[in-house]
Amino acid sequence: MEDPAQDKTGPRQDTGTPVTNQTSRRPSRTARTPAAGTAAGRTAAAEAGIAVLLGIAAALVGLAPWLVTGARLPLQNLWANDVLPPDMPVTFLPLSQYRGTTIVALLTVGAAAAGLALRVWKPGRRGPTTAGALCGVLLVHVGATAQSFNALNDGLAPGSSSALYFAGLLGGTMAAIAAGALALLMLAARSRAVAALGVGFMAVPFASWLAAAATFTAGADAVPASISLAWRWLPAVLVGVALAWCGFRPFVRLLVWAADVALLWLVPALFTSVNYVLGTRVYLGDFQEMAVLSRQILAATLGPAGGAGPSVLVALGIGMAGALLVSVRRRKNILQANIEDDGGRTA
């Protein structure tokens, strides 16, 4: 008589999956290939190429408000000949002491758009694609700078004043290109805190870019007052949303809150001071007087009369309310997941 226990164990051993059957233990090489490679099977070279094109496109979008006007160089105080506006050369940048902050906005917004696009894209290789996008942006910006300053140099009257004017504009433009590269790197970073800091860094230039786009296309007198008021509060809204997205935790993110609030307080004052000082022809070239005037304007705009207080309060209000809502929603999701998990174990 046979032992029933042997009858039960025997068939299970015979019908079990053999140890040598590797297909049951792990996927085949073909199945593992997509996981090991990049999304959609793109190679590193393909991703880098796409990133370069993305950077070029973003940089051109940044320059678009100026390019759609016909891109005629603004009239120059130091031009060698008396010409009418239509006779000025075509340049990729509106080089003029009266357009200093506009140049900053045109160059930084395009670079920031490339960084934001990388963040949305989330490529498989962040380092090479970020470098590729930065190369694409710099290709456009350096090319536009070289073409614009070459045209400016050809038309300026000879003399020390023209050389000083040329050098000052070139230095400011190079600083704007560097600021744009920094914005790209911050917005494309993996860290949410760094990206939120990038939003605070770009909030005021983006509002200035929108203002320039509306002014270039519709004219300064044709822009409705309501639109101008929206530009006034747009940086505060952007910073508030970025702070809500950043959140309070971990504790180090409170440093991002402090930095974004400081940028919202400081950058508008800097823009106002630069526009006022460079737009005053009386002191242009007198660095001592320009420095005194800039300190006076900066102190006035940073003080209570500067109007930064309401913007900071709006940003903090939006940030705190949004962060609390995100925190409550996250806790509800965690609690719901725990309840479902406990229910599944009970069942």
Side-chain angles (χ1 to χ4, degrees):
M1 184 174 178
E2 297 180 357
D3 186 357
Q6 293 179 354
D7 292 340
K8 291 180 180 179
T9 56
R12 280 202 300 268
Q13 292 176 352
D14 294 339
T15 58
T17 303
V19 176
T20 56
N21 186 356
Q22 301 297 328
T23 59
S24 64
R25 295 278 183 113
R26 60 186 179 184
S28 63
R29 293 181 69 90
T30 305
R32 294 199 308 272
T33 301
T38 60
R42 296 192 192 98
T43 63
E47 281 197 341
I50 294 172
V52 171
L53 294 177
L54 186 151
I56 293 173
L60 291 175
V61 168
L63 299 177
W66 168 246
L67 298 179
V68 297
T69 66
R72 293 286 177 180
L73 184 69
L75 291 176
Q76 305 290 316
N77 297 325
L78 299 173
W79 207 243
N81 303 312
D82 292 332
V83 295
L84 296 175
D87 298 325
M88 295 297 287
V90 173
T91 58
F92 287 105
L93 294 174
L95 300 179
S96 172
Q97 74 268 27
Y98 307 114
R99 301 278 177 84
T101 55
T102 300
I103 294 172
V104 172
L106 294 174
L107 292 173
T108 55
V109 167
L116 185 60
L118 285 175
R119 188 167 196 86
V120 174
W121 176 18
K122 297 179 181 178
R125 299 175 175 86
R126 297 292 287 267
T129 50
T130 301
L134 181 59
C135 287
V137 168
L138 292 178
L139 180 65
V140 174
H141 286 174
V142 172
T145 300
Q147 185 274 334
S148 301
F149 278 91
N150 183 63
L152 179 66
N153 184 63
D154 290 342
L156 287 176
S160 59
S161 297
S162 295
L164 184 63
Y165 173 74
F166 184 92
L169 278 178
L170 181 59
T173 302
M174 297 303 294
I177 292 175
L182 179 61
L184 186 155
L185 295 175
M186 286 194 292
L187 290 172
R190 293 181 184 272
S191 170
R192 179 174 295 195
V194 174
L197 185 61
V199 174
F201 184 67
M202 283 302 305
V204 174
F206 179 66
S208 180
W209 183 86
L210 289 178
T215 303
F216 285 151
T217 55
D221 298 332
V223 178
S226 58
I227 302 266
S228 300
L229 183 62
W231 297 331
R232 164 74 173 81
W233 296 105
L234 179 60
V237 174
L238 291 176
V239 170
V241 171
L243 293 178
W245 176 66
C246 177
F248 301 111
R249 298 180 181 179
F251 181 77
V252 70
R253 292 192 179 183
L254 292 180
L255 297 177
V256 176
W257 283 64
D260 273 0
V261 168
L263 287 169
L264 186 60
W265 176 58
L266 180 62
V267 176
L270 287 175
F271 271 45
T272 301
S273 178
V274 168
N275 279 333
Y276 191 90
V277 173
L278 294 182
T280 305
R281 293 181 59 184
V282 177
Y283 300 113
L284 200 61
D286 188 341
F287 292 108
Q288 184 175 359
E289 291 296 332
M290 290 176 67
V292 172
L293 183 61
S294 64
R295 285 198 298 268
Q296 292 175 349
I297 300 299
L298 191 61
T301 50
L302 289 176
S311 296
V312 169
L313 291 178
V314 168
L316 287 175
I318 295 174
M320 293 176 66
L324 289 174
L325 288 175
V326 171
S327 178
V328 170
R329 183 178 179 182
R330 185 177 300 155
R331 289 183 179 180
K332 285 184 177 180
N333 291 338
I334 294 174
L335 180 61
Q336 184 65 28
N338 291 336
I339 292 173
E340 293 177 355
D341 186 45
D342 292 341
R345 290 179 181 177
T346 304

